Amino acid sequence: MAEENDVIHTGSPKETAEGGGFPIAPPPIYTCTLTPELVAKAREELQEKPEWRLRDVQALRDMVLKDQPNLRTRLDDAFLLRFLRARKFDYDRALQLLLNYHMSRRAWPEVFHDLRPSTIKHVLDRGFLTVLPQPDPHGRYILCIRPGKWKPNDYPFVDNIRAIYLTLEKLIQAEETQVNGVVILADYSGVGLSHASSIGPLLAKKIVGILQDGFPIRIKAVNIINEPRIFKGIFAIIKPFLKEKMAERFILHGSDLNSLHRNIPSSVLPEEYGGASGHFDASLWSKALLDAEVEFVVEFCQPDPLEGVVLPDSMLFEGEQGTTQCEDTYRGLRSQLYYCY
């Protein structure tokens, strides 16, 4: 039976941030902003039933309060819904994802300490990443990453991870993104041996671990373009940590723009990728992210949410577990990197 206070808004979700076409954060009191079409999609793909939505949120909230009473986490409806949707309303898996989300901060303090947009402005200014202004026909925003814009001598690679994480945090605020997921477009133009040798297996394992098991987002496709021969070595480092379903979502296009357009229509791509939506412009997303400084200070510049929390070994986030096998694997792969180059 529907809850009386589960307000369903069936109007357009296309409220956007001033100056750009990006979704804005939901209001503090939860009100469903999904269109009827997205409500139906969430029901079919995520097992989300509008009439049970708040009951499910309360069930997850009760599990957190009972099983992890010392966990410093948000418990509002909108926040918990992200985790339920990411795990198709499986309470146990949603709780594990929530714990992983917080454990990743402890596992990787270099990424999460003082995490706010102003600290990664240099990454944004170099054009390392942006979100394209228009979503694809499936309503999925496109995160465009350009690793070749990073020079290893300029700043540590971990700053790029910080920028990616903040971008995903901003995107996942919108309910439409929670349902539709996102698409990644990675342009490897300009990537060489110095880039590849800076990303060892431990770093790769942490990145993949967070994206697969530590963040409430659905990555629906990873499109790789302009990859050099050395990418075979880079992917060899990453692939062992990918789940089968995620590995199948990697699509390598080389320099074939027609292949890219079969997966991402040219209408939403910039001219640099054979598209029709104007020149590549990273400034709109940079502004949207930098304008959100205060909300990220509130979210991330706080005491450790896991302080005082005791977790059984079975619940440890993979990013915190042993690295010996990773290091052994990397020694075998470094020769591949040089060979490919």
Side-chain angles (χ1 to χ4, degrees):
M1 185 171 64
E3 298 281 347
E4 291 182 1
N5 60 343
D6 189 8
V7 182
I8 304 296
H9 171 64
T10 57
S12 170
K14 297 298 181 184
E15 298 177 83
T16 56
E18 184 177 348
F22 308 114
I24 62 173
I29 299 176
Y30 178 72
T31 301
C32 181
T33 59
L34 299 176
T35 63
E37 292 78 15
L38 284 178
V39 168
K41 183 176 183 178
R43 182 188 291 271
E44 179 180 352
E45 296 185 8
L46 307 181
Q47 286 74 60
E48 176 176 346
K49 299 177 174 60
E51 62 273 19
W52 292 353
R53 184 184 291 123
L54 291 187
R55 182 207 68 175
D56 294 333
V57 169
Q58 187 60 49
L60 178 57
R61 184 182 295 117
D62 290 342
M63 289 176 69
V64 174
L65 293 173
K66 178 184 177 182
D67 298 344
Q68 303 297 336
N70 296 321
L71 181 65
R72 296 190 182 107
T73 184
R74 285 174 53 185
L75 292 172
D76 56 279
D77 297 346
F79 182 73
L80 294 180
L81 264 175
R82 302 177 189 179
F83 297 88
L84 286 165
R85 285 170 171 152
R87 291 298 180 262
K88 299 186 177 181
F89 283 76
D90 182 315
Y91 299 163
D92 292 326
R93 294 177 65 226
L95 176 60
Q96 180 66 68
L97 179 60
L98 176 62
L99 292 172
N100 288 350
Y101 173 83
H102 288 298
M103 282 191 284
S104 63
R105 303 190 194 184
R106 175 178 289 179
W108 209 350
E110 306 97 307
V111 169
F112 294 97
H113 175 69
D114 194 29
L115 184 59
R116 48 198 171 94
S118 61
T119 65
I120 50 91
K121 186 176 183 298
H122 57 288
V123 179
L124 300 173
D125 289 344
R126 283 166 174 77
F128 175 83
L129 64 69
T130 193
V131 175
L132 301 184
Q134 298 181 60
D136 71 7
H138 302 286
R140 306 176 300 197
Y141 278 91
I142 301 164
L143 169 58
C144 183
I145 302 173
R146 301 190 292 172
K149 295 295 181 181
W150 169 64
K151 301 296 182 284
N153 291 331
D154 288 349
Y155 60 84
F157 187 79
V158 73
D159 289 1
N160 296 327
I161 305 304
R162 288 163 65 86
I164 292 171
Y165 197 93
L166 285 171
T167 290
L168 294 177
E169 279 282 355
K170 186 64 179 170
L171 284 173
I172 203 60
Q173 291 177 344
E175 289 197 283
E176 60 204 84
T177 300
Q178 296 168 26
V179 174
N180 292 325
V182 298
V183 168
I184 294 176
L185 171 60
D187 179 1
Y188 273 78
S189 298
V191 171
L193 184 59
S194 62
H195 297 84
S197 59
S198 299
I199 307 173
L202 178 56
L203 184 60
K205 181 177 182 180
K206 284 187 172 183
I207 296 169
V208 171
I210 288 176
L211 293 180
Q212 287 188 145
D213 301 309
F215 195 85
I217 200 163
R218 307 171 71 209
I219 298 176
K220 303 300 291 182
V222 181
N223 293 272
I224 310 292
I225 61 170
N226 299 320
E227 67 273 17
R229 285 193 304 164
I230 199 172
F231 183 79
K232 293 181 180 179
I234 298 173
F235 194 63
I237 294 173
I238 299 172
K239 191 173 182 180
F241 310 120
L242 294 173
K243 295 178 180 177
E244 183 179 358
K245 181 182 289 187
M246 179 60 70
E248 291 172 351
R249 292 176 179 174
F250 276 70
I251 309 166
L252 276 58
H253 302 286
S255 59
D256 187 351
L257 292 180
N258 289 327
S259 174
L260 175 64
H261 297 163
R262 285 193 290 271
N263 291 272
I264 303 177
S266 60
S267 58
V268 302
L269 289 169
E271 294 174 7
E272 288 78 357
Y273 301 129
S277 67
H279 288 293
F280 186 96
D281 182 5
S283 64
L284 287 178
W285 180 252
S286 295
K287 182 180 186 303
L289 207 53
L290 291 167
D291 285 350
E293 177 85 1
V294 173
E295 67 186 65
F296 283 112
V297 169
V298 171
E299 189 73 24
F300 290 103
C301 301
Q302 304 297 329
D304 180 1
L306 288 173
E307 185 176 348
V309 176
V310 178
L311 297 169
D313 290 344
S314 61
M315 299 191 76
L316 279 178
F317 181 44
E318 280 193 4
E320 294 189 309
Q321 295 171 356
T323 62
T324 303
Q325 184 178 358
C326 294
E327 293 168 354
D328 290 342
T329 302
Y330 187 43
R331 280 192 286 269
L333 288 172
R334 278 192 299 186
S335 59
Q336 291 186 35
L337 291 174
Y338 285 96
Y339 177 77
C340 290
Y341 192 67

